[in-house]
Amino acid sequence: MKQTNLASIEPAVVAEAGQTVAELTAARIRERVISGTLSPGSHLSEAALCEELQVSRNTLREVFRLLTKEGVLRHEANRGVFVSTPSISTIMDIFQIRRLIECSALANAHHRHPSVDKMRAAIDAAVQHRQRGEWLEVGSADIAFHAAIVELADSPRLSAFYAQISLELRLVFGLIRDPEYLHAPYVGQNATILAHLEEGAPASAADALEKYLFQAERFILAAYSRAMPG
């Protein structure tokens, strides 16, 4: 049984006005999932977390309820709480949603939208992390790139919904034990998508993105099938 120590959690999550201790603690654990530090199947020790995060058992149980409702964690009777492991049907659903949201946002985007700069910054970050062999960080930059695509739609509600999808996507990424194998092919493809948009061809960018997402889905499903026992 894999148990993850969270003692290295840094206070990187900024508390919002009116945020409860449980909500802030949930955000801190959620951030560890997004960064790839907590991988699918990791066991979370209630006693260890209470000490490490300096929260009560009641608070931590509320955190577990919040994150279980979101699908980030799962509770198993007589075994404890674990980081969720996405199923094949979940992976397929995530990519279907991504195609619906991202391709539409890109097809209708203006090449001078402020989020284009965020897309460029995410690609630059991915390239820098790739050069240093920091593949988990390359994955985080990839997620930032696609979140910026969604922002092209100028819908805060859509962006908030996509943030949840991104969290589940990181769980999907965590199923692949070789992050270089997972992320290396897509840095250049992100750059190609951005180039189409910057050239004022959003339809071409959307077409390239749709092909990219179908390719990524097939790639991850194949890797998932190989990784699963039996």
Side-chain angles (χ1 to χ4, degrees), residues 98 102 141-150 162 190 209 212-213:
R98 292 185 69 191
E102 294 186 49
D142 180 67
I143 288 175
F145 176 82
H146 290 277
I149 288 177
V150 177
Y162 194 78
N190 286 347
L209 175 60
Y212 166 119
L213 291 174

Side-chain angles (χ1 to χ4, degrees), residues 6 9 13 15 19-32 49-50 52-56 59-64 66-67:
L6 295 185
I9 288 183
V13 179
Q19 195 171 34
T20 66
V21 174
E23 289 168 340
L24 179 58
T25 304
R28 295 173 71 184
I29 295 176
R30 204 180 287 115
E31 179 64 27
R32 301 299 282 182
L49 281 175
C50 286
E52 291 161 9
L53 301 178
Q54 294 296 293
V55 295
S56 69
T59 295
L60 189 62
R61 286 167 184 167
E62 176 62 21
V63 169
F64 285 168
L66 287 170
L67 295 179

Side-chain angles (χ1 to χ4, degrees), residues 2-193:
K2 180 180 178 182
Q3 182 167 311
T4 301
N5 188 320
L6 295 185
S8 61
I9 288 183
E10 298 177 357
V13 179
V14 178
E16 298 179 1
Q19 195 171 34
T20 66
V21 174
E23 289 168 340
L24 179 58
T25 304
R28 295 173 71 184
I29 295 176
R30 204 180 287 115
E31 179 64 27
R32 301 299 282 182
V33 174
I34 293 171
S35 69
T37 304
L38 278 175
S39 58
S42 299
H43 176 248
L44 303 184
S45 166
E46 184 176 295
L49 281 175
C50 286
E51 181 178 352
E52 291 161 9
L53 301 178
Q54 294 296 293
V55 295
S56 69
R57 285 182 179 269
N58 284 339
T59 295
L60 189 62
R61 286 167 184 167
E62 176 62 21
V63 169
F64 285 168
R65 282 193 292 271
L66 287 170
L67 295 179
T68 298
K69 185 176 180 181
E70 291 179 9
V72 178
L73 304 180
R74 72 176 190 276
H75 178 267
E76 295 186 13
N78 302 318
R79 295 192 67 215
V81 177
F82 299 81
V83 178
S84 292
T85 301
S87 64
I88 287 179
S89 61
T90 297
I91 295 170
M92 294 174 68
D93 190 39
I94 287 171
F95 276 91
Q96 180 180 10
I97 291 170
R98 292 185 69 191
R99 286 189 291 271
L100 288 171
I101 294 175
E102 294 186 49
C103 294
S104 176
L106 197 52
N108 294 286
H110 192 281
H111 67 282
R112 292 188 177 178
H113 191 285
S115 288
V116 173
D117 290 337
K118 294 184 180 181
M119 295 167 67
R120 169 58 60 191
I123 290 173
D124 290 344
V127 170
Q128 292 172 13
H129 289 304
R130 180 180 62 184
Q131 291 171 345
R132 295 193 289 265
E134 299 167 345
W135 293 104
L136 284 178
E137 288 78 5
V138 172
S140 295
D142 180 67
I143 288 175
F145 176 82
H146 290 277
I149 288 177
V150 177
E151 289 182 13
L152 294 169
D154 289 320
S155 171
R157 289 180 176 82
L158 196 59
S159 292
F161 173 70
Y162 194 78
Q164 174 62 30
I165 298 300
S166 295
L167 186 59
E168 295 183 82
L169 184 61
R170 174 56 87 174
L171 290 173
V172 171
F173 286 172
L175 295 170
I176 314 302
R177 299 306 179 188
D178 185 345
E180 178 179 357
Y181 176 72
L182 172 63
H183 297 300
Y186 300 106
V187 178
Q189 292 188 45
N190 286 347
T192 298
I193 290 167

